[in-house]
Structure formats: C-alpha cells, structure tokens
Amino acid sequence: MSFLLFLLLLILSSLTSHLNATTSLRIGVNLGQLGDNLPPPARSIELIRRLRAKAVKIYDANATVLSAVSGTGIRVSVMLPNQLIPSVASNQSFSDSWVSSQILPFYPKARIRYLLVGNEILSDFSISNSTWPHLVPAMANLKRSLRSHSIHNIKLGTTLAMDSLSVSFPPSAGAFRADIATSVITPLLRFLNSSKSFYFVDVYPYFPWAANPSSIDLDYALFAGNPSKYYTDPGSGLTYTNLFDQMLDAVFAAMTRLGFGQIPIFVAETGWPNNCDIDQIGANIFNAATYNRNLARRLSHKPPIGTPARPGMVIPAMIFALYNENLKGGPGTERHWGLLYPNGTRVYPVDLTGKLPDRKYPPLPAPTNNAPYKGKIWCVVDEEKGVDEKALVAALAYACGQGNGTCEGIEKGKECFRPNTVVAHASYAFNSYWQQFRYSGGTCFFGGLAVQTTKDPSYGSCKFRA
Ligand SMILES: *[C@@H]1O[C@H](CO)[C@@H](O)[C@H](O)[C@H]1NC(C)=O
Ligand SMILES: *[C@@H]1O[C@H](CO)[C@@H](O)[C@H](O)[C@H]1NC(C)=O
Ligand SMILES: *[C@@H]1O[C@H](CO)[C@@H](O)[C@H](O)[C@H]1NC(C)=O
Ligand SMILES: *[C@@H]1O[C@H](CO)[C@@H](O)[C@H](O)[C@H]1NC(C)=O
Ligand SMILES: *[C@@H]1O[C@H](CO)[C@@H](O)[C@H](O)[C@H]1NC(C)=O
Ligand SMILES: *[C@@H]1O[C@H](CO)[C@@H](O)[C@H](O)[C@H]1NC(C)=O
C-alpha cells in the first residue's frame, strides 16, 4: 500500500516536473522581417524551434508565417497594423472580416494566444487624433469578433513603449503622460483588467544607459551589477539590482496611480544590440550575450523572482529580435538586435530556457566600444558592399539638397570636384551632410550606402569636414 502510494507520488511528481519543463518557458522571440536577405518563414520557424523558443511574436498576421508555425506548438502573438485601428473601431463588420480572413484560417492549428492591436501607437504623435481614441474600441470589437467564433483563448493587448510614461525615475514616482492618462490609458487598463490580459511593454535598458553612460553603471543595465551599484528608491525603500526591474516597476507604479496596479506586465520586446556605428556605444556581442543570457536566467527562475515592487510575479518576455535586419533605418544599433545573422548562424550562443550557467558557454569576444570613441569620425560611401551607382546618384542628390552649402566643395572648379566620379562626390556629400546633422538625428546610413570611418578621407587640397 505505502509502496503503491510512493509509486503514485513518483509518477505524479515526474508528470508535474515534465509539465513544468514544457510549459514554464517564459522567453519567446520577435520575428521582425525588415531585411532583404532573410530566410523564408518556414526556415525562420525552424530556427526559432532550434533556439528552443516556445513563443514568437510577429508584426502583422502574415499568412505564410502563420501556416509555417501551425502544428509546431509554438505560441504566437499576432499584430493588427496601426493603420487599421480606426476602421476596426468604427465598423464591427470590418473587425469581423479581419478576424475571419487573418485569424480563422490558421486557428487553432497555429497556437495564436495574443492579438496585439497596434505597435507603440502612443509614441506616434502624428496619429494622436486619428488613432489613439480608437484603440480601446478597436480592441473591444476584435474581442467581440473572436467571441462570435467562440474563441476565448486569444487575449487582446497593445504594445506600448516606455515613453507612455512621463516619469520613470525613481520607479516609485512612475506616472503616465498627462496627454494620455485619462483619455487612453485608463480605458485601456480597465479593458485589460476586465479581460485578464497583460500590459504589453517594450523595455530596453540599453537606451537609458547609452544616453547616460556616466550616471548609469553598465553592469547594472546588464543584470551584472555588484551590490555597491544597487539603487535604493527613496520613495519606496526598495533596492534595485538592475535597470530592467527599475523600468518595470516604474510602469507598475504608473498603473497603480490609476488604480490598476494588479495588471501583469508582458515584456513585448527587450534585448541588446550586438553592433553599432562608431559614434555609438556599448552595442557589442559581449554585452548582448550577457544581457540576454542573464535575462533568460532571471525570468525563467523557479520560483519566479518578479520585481522589487511585484515579488514573485511571472514576467513573460519576447527578445527582440530573431535576426539582424538590414533594412531598418536610423543608427547602426537598429540593424543589429538579432540573435541570428540573416544566414541563420547564431551571433552568440544563448540558452533561452535560462538553464545553462555562464561557465558552460564558450568565451565571448571582449567588448571594444563600452566607452565613447573620442577621435574624429567621417561618413563615406561603403565601397566594401559593392557600389550601386543608380542608388548613389539618388542619395547624392538627396544629401546635396539638405543643409547649407552641403555640396559646394564638389562644384566644378572647387577643390573636391576631382576625381569627378559618383563615388567620390557621394562620399563628400554624405560626410558634409552628416557633419551638419549628426547631432540632430541625422544618420550615416543612406539606405546602406554609407558607413562611418575613423580614416580621414581628405586628399590633396580637398578637405573633408569632421
Ligand atoms: C509574409 O512574409 C513573407 C516573408 O517575409 C513575405 O514574402 C510575404 O510577402 C508576406 N506576406 C504578406 C501577405 O505580407
Ligand atoms: C464596414 O466594413 C465592411 C467589411 O469590410 C465594409 O464592407 C463596409 O463598407 C464598411 N462600412 C463602412 C461604413 O465603412
Ligand atoms: C489634433 O486635434 C487638435 C485639436 O483639433 C489640433 O490642435 C492638433 O493639431 C491635432 N493634431 C494632429 C497631429 O493632427
Ligand atoms: C479588476 O478586475 C477585477 C476582477 O475582474 C475586479 O474585481 C476589479 O474591481 C477590477 N479593478 C478595477 C480597478 O476596475
Ligand atoms: C553567416 O554570416 C556571418 C555574418 O556575416 C558570418 O560571419 C558567418 O560566417 C556566416 N555563416 C555561414 C555558415 O555562412
Ligand atoms: C542653414 O542656415 C540657416 C540660416 O543661416 C540656419 O538657420 C540653419 O540652422 C542652417 N542649417 C544647418 C543645417 O546648418
């Protein structure tokens, strides 16, 4: 009898530990597809499976991706594009037909679990009138559309950036922006609370650190701070060991201020860039691997750690992103968030189950750009990639049209006119443009035609500004 009981207990415990092993994985990946060199969706899903990620988020409801992920058991978050929000909100039939055409063909074979309505819409002020007021009505219509097909296990949400807060430091002072708090956020939180969904937020410790590396310790941003660098919030008395927790607790505080402190957080995007331009800092393989490994370990911990203000809370997260995406504009970091290169090779190994201890990983290349580069930098044509003359001509014309006297130096008879080639003139123009605009958001990119260099491209009497 007692032996049978023992046997039963043994079976039960192995069953539950098996369940834990298969259901507790809290880390997924974002499948961004802004690259012209990325594998087809079926291969992407296979790569996600090999990373042992159990969840994927996409930025639309791409049919090829949804059929590729069908039957794999991977949980899926799909997104309704921002520009459809007004139509969905004002027209129940529109909502019904979107759900019928985009979701139903793949559900339930594709394990769609979250329908995210828009991407960081409250960061786009150009749609403040046209779209923000329609967010929650759109979510309500989509929920009705799903219910009409008796679908109860797809939750509605929307992903917001940290800039929906006007105060995030100290975390206990966290507050939503005044322009959205009562008009958009309160109805949103009421909806999320009553439908038992999550507040989805994109959380990137990289950005506050990179904007302020002298006042924030890098190790604190990488979950690797030592106790002398911990931060105690004077408002709450809580001690923070890392920047990620600090950012999440600012969101919790802001929700609490509006009366909805119990809504759980889902980290819709987080990560660390693995490379960057010369004038940026801290984006390298060492830091990216350290951040994502520590994140996976922390969020997968059993029992769940939570945050100082929400101890024990499970915090699911999606790492951004599967690939380095070469078509993203902006500074170099934007194109280097991937766990994988476009050819499917890992940029660095990372165990998303969080089980592998640091000592089991092979050594990482030492970081070289954790401090700002102090020397001069120029912006020139990236000749290594092979030169696309037609694109260069267009980029040259664009650059010359910006700023003051941008292309004077390459006018006929001027010191940089010769050699009179598109490449030479474009290099001059890119540099002249970038030197004027680099501190006001201008980037040295030009659709991939330009690259930063520390080697002075000046020659003879032709001087390149720096
Ligand atoms: C789905 O994604 C694939 C791969 O990026 C792309 O080729 C295809 O055009 C997308 N389909 C739609 C309908 O956007
Ligand atoms: C509502 O959406 C349906 C389905 O897309 C469409 O046929 C209809 O014209 C829309 N009605 C209005 C008033 O826009
Ligand atoms: C939104 O509407 C207000 C009031 O009509 C107006 O002042 C503002 O310029 C509009 N904003 C946008 C982005 O259209
Ligand atoms: C949140 O939802 C719970 C359960 O559905 C409810 O009891 C509570 O009153 C809601 N909170 C607010 C602030 O509406
Ligand atoms: C994949 O791409 C990376 C980065 O360009 C390169 O270092 C690596 O050798 C490539 N791997 C294969 C198998 O081609
Ligand atoms: C161009 O010149 C105008 C007038 O002197 C000035 O206001 C503007 O800031 C200059 N632009 C740049 C990019 O230097």
Side-chain angles (χ1 to χ4, degrees):
M1 186 64 184
S2 70
F3 176 72
L4 277 180
L5 193 66
F6 171 76
L7 208 68
L8 189 71
L9 283 174
L10 199 72
I11 291 168
L12 273 177
S13 76
S14 75
L15 206 70
T16 46
S17 72
H18 171 75
L19 279 177
N20 280 344
T22 53
T23 60
S24 71
L25 199 126
R26 298 166 192 150
I27 310 277
V29 290
N30 282 281
L31 174 55
Q33 298 203 83
L34 299 178
D36 61 12
N37 51 1
L38 301 180
R43 168 88 175 137
S44 297
I45 299 302
E46 171 60 18
L47 291 166
I48 289 169
R49 234 175 38 75
R50 284 196 205 169
L51 281 170
R52 299 209 283 152
K54 295 289 197 301
V56 63
K57 172 163 150 268
I58 57 178
Y59 291 83
D60 50 20
N62 185 293
T64 319
V65 176
L66 289 177
S67 47
V69 80
S70 289
T72 61
I74 296 173
R75 297 187 299 275
V76 190
S77 295
V78 300
M79 197 174 267
L80 180 98
N82 295 0
Q83 63 273 18
L84 296 184
I85 291 173
S87 307
V88 168
S90 64
N91 184 345
Q92 184 67 52
S93 322
F94 190 93
S95 171
D96 292 345
S97 64
W98 191 84
V99 165
S100 296
S101 62
Q102 308 292 305
I103 304 285
L104 291 187
F106 308 101
Y107 177 90
K109 264 196 93 193
R111 291 182 70 196
I112 302 169
R113 288 296 174 269
Y114 301 102
L115 170 52
L116 302 171
V117 181
N119 194 31
E120 298 189 350
I121 69 165
L122 301 181
S123 308
D124 183 353
F125 288 83
S126 74
I127 59 171
S128 60
N129 295 338
S130 67
T131 306
W132 296 0
H134 305 300
L135 173 64
V136 177
M139 293 169 76
N141 281 354
L142 289 164
K143 191 174 168 185
R144 265 191 290 276
S145 304
L146 292 168
R147 293 297 172 271
S148 73
H149 297 281
S150 301
I151 297 174
H152 295 277
N153 63 352
I154 301 181
K155 286 187 192 294
L156 276 298
T158 186
T159 60
L160 299 177
M162 283 301 290
D163 67 0
S164 54
L165 303 190
S166 54
V167 182
S168 59
F169 184 80
S172 63
F176 287 104
R177 284 180 355 227
D179 63 322
I180 53 175
T182 49
S183 56
V184 189
I185 298 290
T186 296
L188 171 65
L189 297 180
R190 190 172 296 125
F191 181 92
L192 297 175
N193 181 57
S194 70
S195 55
K196 299 196 163 33
S197 187
F198 291 84
Y199 182 91
F200 289 84
V201 59
D202 297 341
V203 180
Y204 288 106
Y206 173 75
F207 292 119
W209 171 74
N212 231 333
S214 55
S215 49
I216 302 176
D217 183 45
L218 175 59
D219 289 338
Y220 183 72
L222 297 175
F223 302 96
N226 71 59
S228 69
K229 304 285 176 57
Y230 291 172
Y231 169 71
T232 298
D233 183 327
S236 63
L238 296 171
T239 294
Y240 288 85
T241 64
N242 66 82
L243 185 52
F244 177 85
D245 281 358
Q246 199 183 297
M247 293 168 81
L248 291 189
D249 275 357
V251 177
F252 279 125
M255 293 199 294
T256 303
R257 216 165 284 280
L258 296 180
F260 293 93
Q262 294 315 310
I263 296 176
I265 285 182
F266 196 124
V267 175
E269 291 182 3
T270 191
W272 196 279
N274 59 61
N275 202 349
C276 61
D277 293 333
I278 298 167
D279 65 341
Q280 296 187 279
I281 63 164
N284 53 59
I285 288 178
F286 185 94
N287 293 349
T290 304
Y291 180 88
N292 284 325
R293 290 171 187 177
N294 287 341
L295 175 90
R297 217 172 272 133
R298 188 172 177 86
L299 298 191
S300 309
H301 193 272
K302 280 180 228 162
I305 298 171
T307 67
R310 295 288 179 274
M313 187 173 258
V314 172
I315 300 166
M318 301 278 196
I319 290 178
F320 189 86
L322 185 61
Y323 299 117
N324 282 349
E325 295 169 70
N326 70 352
L327 293 182
K328 294 193 79 176
T333 41
E334 283 302 306
R335 293 173 286 285
H336 295 96
W337 289 95
L339 299 177
L340 306 179
Y341 294 111
N343 62 15
T345 305
R346 291 183 185 221
V347 179
Y348 47 84
V350 55
D351 170 25
L352 297 182
T353 70
K355 293 212 184 79
L356 204 64
D358 261 335
R359 62 189 154 74
K360 293 280 179 67
Y361 285 107
L364 290 165
T368 55
N369 59 2
N370 282 351
Y373 180 76
K374 296 265 175 45
K376 291 181 175 168
I377 305 171
W378 293 266
C379 175
V380 296
V381 171
D382 187 357
E383 294 188 64
E384 264 183 34
K385 282 193 198 137
V387 170
D388 175 350
E389 285 247 350
K390 197 160 155 242
L392 266 191
V393 169
L396 170 61
Y398 172 83
C400 292
Q402 309 299 309
N404 294 323
T406 305
C407 289
E408 255 169 34
I410 49 176
E411 281 166 15
K412 197 160 189 182
K414 293 287 174 62
E415 59 281 10
C416 299
F417 176 67
R418 285 184 198 288
N420 182 12
T421 65
V422 173
V423 173
H425 282 194
S427 277
Y428 182 90
F430 288 176
N431 185 64
S432 178
Y433 162 88
W434 185 63
Q435 302 297 351
Q436 290 180 70
F437 293 104
R438 57 183 290 198
Y439 298 111
S440 55
T443 53
C444 175
F445 182 51
F446 291 96
L449 299 170
V451 66
Q452 292 181 7
T453 177
T454 56
K455 188 170 165 278
D456 188 352
S458 303
Y459 55 90
S461 59
C462 171
K463 298 289 176 246
F464 278 56
R465 214 178 128 175

